[in-house]
Amino acid sequence: GIQVEQSPPDLILQEGANSTLRCNFSDSVNNLQWFHQNPWGQLINLFYIPSGTKQNGRLSATTVATERYSLLYISSSQTTDSGVYFCAVSTDKLIFGTGTRLQVFP
Amino acid sequence: DTEVTQTPKHLVMGMTNKKSLKCEQHMGHRAMYWYKQKAKKPPELMFVYSYEKLSINESVPSRFSPECPNSSLLNLHLHALQPEDSALYLCASSPGTPGAPLHFGNGTRLTVT
């Protein structure tokens, strides 16, 4: 089956720093989503981005489907950005990546 | 606030109990999903219902029994669970077209004693 790898696995930042999270996938996909899972377990949709670039406030995402990767940019990070970031790709079903655990300290 | 509602938020059950997890959506979505998430792991797909019919069962043990009474409701019936089944159970829905985005509920945190 399709493999979805994320890097880095863990990231520690000071408030105000910028970061880039990467998602690599092993086969062609119909779609790619980025999620943020907060410490209470809620999975929040960030982006639905099968290709191209999207921005939402301090967050932006770029997917290059032909090269099988996606990037999530977080600028001016805040403590509320802490949690786990998942990318997930869909073929006939949605498969989650390995996740990046982000901790932002004041 | 999430548009997919899961109840209960927390559940503690013994290995001989029978319980059910419930999920409801009112977005007119035609596909609904159950995922299981263990601590520090990504969510793993269990079941997919498409237009109220079971379309994917990821070789889930029979002690987990899904049910889709109508297009807005999804249940997961639990019986004779094991302690290793303790996890966060997430429900999701989508319009049902290939590649359409999934919307997740807040999950039920299940503990089996």
Side-chain angles (χ1 to χ4, degrees):
Chain A
I2 192 168
Q3 304 297 313
V4 187
E5 298 288 333
Q6 292 184 241
S7 60
D10 295 280
L11 188 56
I12 299 174
L13 298 175
Q14 192 155 25
E15 219 169 14
N18 302 327
S19 60
T20 301
L21 283 56
R22 186 176 180 102
C23 171
N24 291 331
F25 42 98
S26 61
D27 206 345
S28 300
V29 299
N30 293 330
N31 178 26
L32 186 142
Q33 288 181 255
W34 281 99
F35 295 91
H36 174 217
Q37 188 167 41
N38 65 23
W40 298 271
Q42 288 179 291
L43 265 175
I44 299 161
N45 277 311
L46 297 177
F47 293 102
Y48 167 72
I49 184 165
S51 64
T53 296
K54 290 188 178 180
Q55 178 148 12
N56 184 2
R58 297 181 295 105
L59 302 182
S60 64
T62 294
T63 297
V64 184
T66 52
E67 297 187 23
R68 300 181 185 165
Y69 74 89
S70 184
L71 302 174
L72 178 69
Y73 306 95
I74 305 175
S75 64
S76 303
S77 57
Q78 301 175 358
T79 56
T80 50
D81 295 332
S82 297
V84 182
Y85 289 80
F86 290 106
C87 66
V89 301
S90 58
T91 51
D92 60 336
K93 50 195 174 185
L94 192 71
I95 304 297
F96 280 79
T98 49
T100 292
R101 186 171 301 275
L102 173 64
Q103 296 178 76
V104 181
F105 290 96
Chain B
D1 285 339
T2 182
E3 296 173 357
V4 178
T5 304
Q6 289 187 244
T7 56
K9 289 188 171 63
H10 301 273
L11 179 62
V12 179
M13 62 184 289
M15 288 188 284
T16 58
N17 291 158
K18 285 185 184 181
K19 297 285 185 184
S20 297
L21 308 185
K22 297 187 183 301
C23 176
E24 188 168 6
Q25 59 89 13
H26 294 290
M27 294 180 281
H29 287 173
R30 302 315 301 265
M32 296 187 78
Y33 310 76
W34 282 114
Y35 281 79
K36 174 182 177 179
Q37 186 177 22
K38 301 284 281 183
K40 297 187 187 296
K41 296 288 187 184
E44 293 181 343
L45 183 64
M46 300 174 73
F47 302 105
V48 181
Y49 272 84
S50 180
Y51 291 82
E52 300 164 45
K53 293 193 188 315
L54 184 64
S55 59
I56 295 178
N57 176 342
E58 291 287 292
S59 303
V60 179
S62 60
R63 58 186 184 268
F64 295 91
S65 175
E67 179 197 18
C68 189
N70 60 57
S71 60
S72 299
L73 293 173
L74 184 67
N75 299 320
L76 186 63
H77 302 298
L78 314 173
H79 174 54
L81 294 194
Q82 303 297 310
E84 58 264 29
D85 295 322
S86 299
L88 180 67
Y89 288 83
L90 292 158
C91 172
S93 70
S94 78
T97 49
L102 270 64
H103 299 260
F104 282 83
N106 289 341
T108 293
R109 199 166 292 280
L110 174 68
T111 303
V112 182
T113 61

